[in-house]
Each structure stands twice: as structure tokens, then as C-alpha cells.
Amino acid sequence: MVITYIYSKSQWEVLIRPGDNFISMHIPEGKDIAPETVIPQLLRAKKVIRERFPEHNGCEIFGSSWLLNPGLQEIIKPESKIARFMSLFTVHPILDDGES
């Protein structure tokens, strides 16, 4: 089943433009995705970026994963690690064939 979300242009806001800097987040298989594990790592990543790449200070964090698929909220418990992980981010729908 493919879930499609459609939003009108009035509901979109540009967060990252071409040429903007961002941190690409990788979620290793089998790692703990509980917020109490993830938050310190995200803060550490931003600290490293500030220290080593000051020209990128203030950049956003981007990630793409099936773990962030909004359709999961229909089948997982709100207290699950996946739901808690998703709550850390602003999740934007993407075109997905449902096979990832």
C-alpha cells in the first residue's frame, strides 16, 4: 500500500534552499534510536560542526529513513521508540513507492 500526502502550497515553508548548509544524519542499523540516546548525539554533531566548520554554524539536520515515514504513526504505539524518535523531528512527507 502506498500512502500519499498532498499539501497545498500555502502549507509549505522553505526551510533549506539550494546552497544552504545542512548536516546529513545517518541512522545505523541496529542502533538505539531512543531520544535519550539520539539527542546527545545530535547536540554533539552540532558542536563539532560549530568548532570545525564555523562557516556552517546554524545549519539544519536532514535525514531520510523509513523510520520517519508519517504513515507509521497509524500502526505503531505512541510510546514506541520509533514514535519517540519521530517526535524529535519535523517530518515532511516524500514521494515513496513503499518498497524501501
Side-chain angles (χ1 to χ4, degrees):
M1 175 174 75
V2 176
I3 299 173
T4 304
Y5 296 91
I6 298 173
Y7 294 92
S8 69
K9 282 188 177 183
S10 66
Q11 293 176 286
W12 287 95
E13 177 183 347
V14 176
L15 298 176
I16 299 176
R17 297 181 187 279
D20 286 352
N21 298 310
F22 63 91
I23 299 170
S24 181
M25 176 180 64
H26 172 70
I27 307 164
E29 184 176 346
K31 296 297 180 181
D32 187 3
I33 60 169
E36 52 273 11
T37 300
V38 174
I39 290 172
Q41 294 303 317
L42 295 174
L43 294 173
R44 181 175 172 268
K46 287 196 148 216
K47 180 178 184 255
V48 168
I49 293 296
R50 274 194 313 274
E51 291 171 355
R52 298 183 189 172
F53 305 96
E55 68 276 14
H56 298 314
N57 192 22
C59 60
E60 297 295 330
I61 298 174
F62 169 82
S64 178
S65 170
W66 67 269
L67 291 167
L68 297 171
N69 183 327
L72 289 173
Q73 294 172 337
E74 298 172 19
I75 59 172
I76 60 176
K77 295 179 180 179
E79 66 274 8
S80 71
K81 281 189 181 180
I82 293 175
R84 293 175 56 226
F85 177 75
M86 289 175 72
S87 73
L88 298 175
F89 305 95
T90 301
V91 179
H92 299 279
I94 60 170
L95 186 58
D96 184 4
D97 62 11
E99 295 182 13
S100 8

